């Protein structure tokens, strides 16, 4: 494989902006994709999903960000421009490996972008779930209950798959208990998942 300028240390923009962990070393895009792939291991056998395909989609869905960075809705970049930048990066990445491997990687990325399968839909839910799970962990680490509520709010009503909806409800229950023990109260809008 040809040497390239890939940065596995690209930090997730939302965490950088919130200065989680005191601003030092928040989660990277690679960290995010890795945990998503691990979560894909947990796909229920009766869900009718190809577990291995889910894991592969999780591992490539944000791969372009190692070149273009983590572009968020708060950035002044249109969805079309974001997609074009990421597509160019993916084509470059895929050109660096053997053709059949590059084609598979690109095809998996495009499947996720298009939400063209049940597996892609499941991984889209896993993507959002991983974000709120990480938000909860940062609230705990920073001993600042509820301060990342906007990440939870951004997922309200967006989960589609039953398995991930169950994960969200479990996380919400744990978060509620922790908030109660800490003596904090906030409006948790994750109840409408």
């Amino acid at each position: 494989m040809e040497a390239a300028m890939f940065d596995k240390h690209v930090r997730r923009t939302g965490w950088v902006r919130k200065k989680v962990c005191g601003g030092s070393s928040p989660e990277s895009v690679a960290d995010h994709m890795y945990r998503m792939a691990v979560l894909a291991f947990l796909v229920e056998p009766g869900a009718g999903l190809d577990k291995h395909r889910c894991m592969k989609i999780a591992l490539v869905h944000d791969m372009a960000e190692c070149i273009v960075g983590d572009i968020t809705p708060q950035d002044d970049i249109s969805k079309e421009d974001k997609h074009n930048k990421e597509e160019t990066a993916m084509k470059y990445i895929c050109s660096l490996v053997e053709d059949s491997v590059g084609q598979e990687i690109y095809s998996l990325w495009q499947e996720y972008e298009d939400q063209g399968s049940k597996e892609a839909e499941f991984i889209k839910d896993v993507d959002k779930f991983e974000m709120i799970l990480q938000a909860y962990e940062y609230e705990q680490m920073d001993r600042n209950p509820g301060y990342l509520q906007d990440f939870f709010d951004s997922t309200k009503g967006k989960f589609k798959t039953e398995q991930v909806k169950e994960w969200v409800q479990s996380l919400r229950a744990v978060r509620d208990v922790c908030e109660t023990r800490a003596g904090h109260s906030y409006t948790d809008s994750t109840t409408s998942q």
Side-chain angles (χ1 to χ4, degrees), residues 29-95:
V29 173
D31 295 332
H32 167 67
M33 291 189 308
Y34 172 76
R35 180 152 63 177
M36 283 179 59
V38 172
L39 288 168
F41 261 106
L42 304 177
V43 67
E44 292 174 350
L49 298 173
D50 180 333
K51 179 187 345 187
H52 296 105
R53 188 166 196 80
C54 289
M55 291 165 49
K56 287 179 180 182
I57 293 170
L59 289 170
V60 305
H61 85 286
D62 278 344
M63 191 178 278
E65 293 179 13
C66 72
I67 295 175
V68 302
D70 183 19
I71 301 169
T72 70
Q74 290 74 37
D75 295 319
D76 193 23
I77 297 175
S78 71
K79 285 185 179 184
E80 182 181 346
D81 285 346
K82 177 183 186 290
H83 176 80
N84 290 340
K85 288 175 184 289
E86 291 180 350
E87 183 175 38
T88 299
M90 286 304 294
K91 286 180 178 177
Y92 173 67
I93 291 167
C94 293
S95 76

Side-chain angles (χ1 to χ4, degrees), residues 115-174:
Q115 287 295 280
S117 68
K118 293 182 299 182
E119 287 79 7
E121 290 174 2
F122 175 73
I123 293 303
K124 184 73 166 179
D125 272 5
V126 171
D127 184 34
K128 293 185 294 277
F129 175 73
E130 198 284 330
M131 178 187 70
I132 62 172
L133 177 59
Q134 188 65 61
Y136 166 73
E137 290 175 355
Y138 284 141
E139 288 177 343
Q140 296 299 301
M141 288 170 58
D142 290 346
R143 291 183 166 78
N144 195 352
Y147 89 106
L148 296 174
Q149 181 62 36
D150 51 332
F151 289 89
F152 288 84
D153 291 345
S154 73
T155 66
K156 182 180 179 184
K158 294 184 180 176
F159 292 98
K160 297 178 180 176
T161 59
E162 290 307 312
Q163 182 175 2
V164 180
K165 285 179 182 179
E166 290 173 13
W167 294 351
V168 171
Q169 291 304 317
S170 294
L171 175 59
R172 182 184 155 271
V174 168

